[in-house]
């Protein structure tokens, strides 16, 4: 040991660190003809709570990257526990075979990216505790299935 030195520290060489490049994730934008999304609650209204719910209303929207949806060609299939499915078409009158599409109370015929549209339709009375199924079918796009249970105690306005 040299004079004044406390000792020697052996020098060891470490292997050179080799970093393998990590590929950056690539996003593949998809062209869709209707990524319809539920944008809030599904409400069931009742004009006579003892008979059951008789109107369903909810809002749908599109993400910013989606293509517009022609609401005049959209269908909704509604079924309740122990009843046959009913196919509803878009219209402007109040009926159990027609649904309406509105924004701010005004009728609309197209759902544009970033927009929301309110859907409303009448149904034959559905009693409390029953399961309801709603399938929103845009033209040429993926269907949006919605399944909910009617509350056992029905009020004039119910969240499903």
């Amino acid at each position: 040991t040299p004079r004044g030195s406390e000792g020697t520290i052996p020098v060891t060489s470490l292997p050179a660190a080799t970093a393998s490049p990590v590929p950056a994730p690539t996003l593949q934008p998809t062209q869709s003809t209707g990524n319809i999304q539920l944008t809030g609650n599904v409400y069931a209204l009742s004009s006579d709570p003892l008979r059951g719910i008789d109107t369903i209303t909810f809002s749908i929207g599109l993400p910013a990257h989606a293509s517009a949806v022609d609401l005049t060609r959209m269908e909704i299939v509604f079924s309740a526990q122990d009843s046959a499915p009913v196919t509803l078409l878009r219209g402007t009158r109040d009926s159990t075979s027609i649904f309406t599409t509105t924004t701010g109370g005004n009728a609309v015929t197209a759902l544009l990216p970033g927009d929301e549209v309110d859907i409303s339709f009448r149904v034959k009375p559905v009693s409390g505790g029953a399961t309801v199924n709603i399938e929103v079918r845009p033209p040429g796009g993926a269907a949006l299935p919605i399944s909910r249970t009617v509350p056992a105690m029905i009020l004039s306005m119910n969240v499903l």
Side-chain angles (χ1 to χ4, degrees):
T1 41
R3 200 174 137 98
S5 171
E6 304 276 316
T8 59
I9 300 173
V11 175
T12 58
S13 63
L14 296 172
T18 56
S20 59
V22 177
T26 57
L27 296 176
Q28 298 283 333
T30 56
Q31 186 72 16
S32 172
T33 57
N35 290 334
I36 291 180
Q37 301 169 340
L38 190 62
T39 59
N41 290 322
V42 177
Y43 296 95
L45 310 178
S46 177
S47 56
D48 181 357
L50 296 177
R51 291 191 64 217
I53 63 165
D54 54 26
T55 302
I56 304 236
T57 185
F58 56 91
S59 296
I60 58 172
L62 282 178
H65 69 277
S67 298
V69 173
D70 179 357
L71 299 174
T72 64
R73 295 180 35 226
M74 188 169 79
E75 293 181 351
I76 293 178
V77 178
F78 173 81
S79 63
Q81 194 170 307
D82 303 326
S83 71
V86 176
T87 300
L88 299 105
L89 302 175
R90 190 199 162 278
T92 55
R93 48 189 185 93
D94 195 19
S95 162
T96 56
S97 62
I98 291 177
F99 67 89
T100 60
T101 54
T102 58
T103 297
N106 299 311
V108 292
T109 58
L111 175 58
L112 303 175
D115 283 356
E116 286 187 20
V117 169
D118 300 322
I119 306 278
S120 184
F121 56 92
R122 296 187 60 75
V123 297
K124 291 181 180 174
V126 179
S127 58
T131 299
V132 296
N133 296 300
I134 304 161
E135 189 171 288
V136 181
R137 296 180 178 172
L144 170 65
I146 304 167
S147 184
R148 299 287 193 273
T149 301
V150 178
M153 179 180 224
I154 297 175
L155 305 172
S156 58
M157 179 181 273
N158 310 272
V159 176
L160 296 187

